[in-house]
Amino acid sequence: MSIPLDLARTLAAVVDEGTLDAAARRLRITPSAVSQRLRALEDQLGRVVLVRSKPVRATAAGDAVVRLARQLALLEHDALTAIGADGGAVASLPLAVNADSLATWFLPPLQRVAERHAVVFDLHRDDQDFTAGLLESGTVMAAVTSRAAPVAGCRVRRLGVLRYEAVAAASFSARWFPRGADVGALADAPVVDFDRRDDLQTQWLASRGASVAEPPRHRVPASQDFATAVRLGLGWGLLPGFQSADGLADGSLVRLGGDPVDVPLFWQQWNLTSPLLDEVADEVVAEGRRVLAVDGLSRR
């Protein structure tokens, strides 16, 4: 049994675009032709590869085919580049990254690669505890993740530690913590969470012996907006040094005490030989190791 490349690429396009109609526009064929290719792929494999929901999603078998399509497209681009026959083709690399890395240190290394190569990046933002799942599904080729154990078919390199400290606006602290951030005050003071999966503030509260259920919680699901909400005094929250340094220096932010929360970060990428993907990895890893904390000591 073999998997025809055109059928695999069609499935990947449908998954990327979310609908058959959008994939048809991208592939410059009719929606009927897209549907026929998907049926042909499923007939050949004897398995369903796509759930026709809105948006569509790949099945487990479909994930494997999408992963193959992305790997072949990358290897084809590398081969054409090596022989000088790429014809100006632009490679597309889907990557996954957590919000705070994306907002602070992750983009400069990508910019350096883009200066040297015809490449665009399709970035998928998710919590660092969940980005590895995007590797497993074949949605992305590489990811910044908190997972140290390699995803099947991937290799891992350590980046460093993203260190968070509990901080609040000086005016907020004066109102809610006049005698310090003790257990009683923490039960009443509003907290800023990123989203319902963000447990950093909960971890810090638990480490202080404070209630994790009582404090009222704002949810601000964007890294820069989260930091702005804390600076404006909407609530207290944990910020990485990248986002709190200026406010701590000018006195507009104050530390609430307690131990910092360290989140180890790793770079995982597909285990295939690709000069382009390896170059992206080298730049990202070098940047991470330059700016992130290491062994519990801040580099900043």
Side-chain angles (χ1 to χ4, degrees):
M1 180 187 298
S2 62
I3 302 175
L5 181 55
D6 62 330
L7 303 187
R9 283 176 167 166
T10 299
L11 176 61
V14 171
V15 171
D16 286 344
E17 299 298 330
T19 68
L20 273 63
D21 287 348
R25 290 192 292 271
R26 171 173 153 183
L27 297 171
R28 298 182 181 179
I29 58 178
T30 66
S32 176
V34 171
S35 182
Q36 290 171 15
R37 288 185 183 183
L38 294 176
R39 283 199 299 271
L41 179 61
E42 290 177 332
D43 288 346
Q44 183 150 341
L45 297 178
R47 292 171 175 81
V48 174
V49 297
L50 193 73
V51 177
R52 272 74 167 176
S53 54
K54 290 185 179 181
V56 299
R57 58 182 177 84
T59 63
D63 284 340
V65 175
V66 169
R67 182 179 177 123
L68 171 66
R70 299 198 199 287
Q71 289 175 334
L72 291 175
L74 179 59
L75 293 174
E76 181 182 57
H77 180 273
D78 287 337
L80 291 172
T81 299
I83 64 176
D86 59 10
V90 178
S92 177
L93 294 186
L95 310 174
V97 59
N98 60 304
D100 287 336
S101 291
L102 180 60
T104 54
W105 66 270
F106 188 71
L107 291 177
L110 301 189
Q111 185 270 337
R112 292 193 289 270
V113 175
E115 284 185 339
R116 300 190 294 266
H117 299 281
V119 58
V120 294
F121 299 102
D122 180 10
L123 299 183
H124 297 249
R125 189 191 67 188
D126 205 344
D127 185 271
Q128 62 272 356
D129 293 337
F130 299 94
T131 50
L134 297 173
L135 277 170
E136 292 173 323
S137 69
T139 301
V140 300
M141 297 177 180
V144 175
T145 174
S146 60
R147 180 168 164 179
V151 172
C154 294
R155 58 181 186 266
V156 185
R157 297 167 71 180
R158 184 177 177 86
L159 292 168
V161 173
L162 195 53
R163 168 161 288 182
Y164 293 82
E165 288 186 299
V167 298
S171 58
F172 179 94
S173 182
R175 174 186 176 188
W176 291 96
F177 305 128
R179 293 177 297 279
D182 57 31
V183 170
L186 288 169
D188 297 325
V191 184
V192 183
D193 283 336
F194 186 86
D195 57 22
R196 285 175 172 78
R197 296 190 301 184
D198 175 15
D199 65 351
L200 289 180
Q201 286 68 227
T202 297
Q203 288 183 48
W204 186 85
L205 284 167
S207 74
R208 299 293 299 272
S211 169
V212 300
E214 292 185 69
R217 295 178 183 258
H218 302 286
R219 292 190 174 90
V220 184
S223 184
Q224 295 289 10
D225 295 334
F226 179 100
T228 297
V230 173
R231 286 195 296 268
L232 291 175
L234 200 62
W236 67 268
L238 273 80
L239 293 180
F242 299 100
Q243 294 180 318
S244 63
D246 290 344
L248 292 170
D250 65 22
S252 60
L253 290 177
V254 295
R255 292 183 174 91
L256 300 185
D259 293 332
V261 177
D262 287 344
V263 178
L265 295 178
F266 301 86
W267 176 257
Q268 294 214 31
Q269 71 182 70
W270 289 351
N271 192 20
L272 76 166
T273 302
S274 166
L276 179 57
L277 187 56
D278 287 345
E279 190 168 335
V280 171
D282 289 343
E283 287 284 1
V284 170
V285 171
E287 184 77 7
R289 292 179 178 177
R290 184 179 70 82
V291 303
L292 297 175
V294 61
D295 296 330
L297 299 175
S298 177
R299 293 186 187 274
R300 297 180 64 79

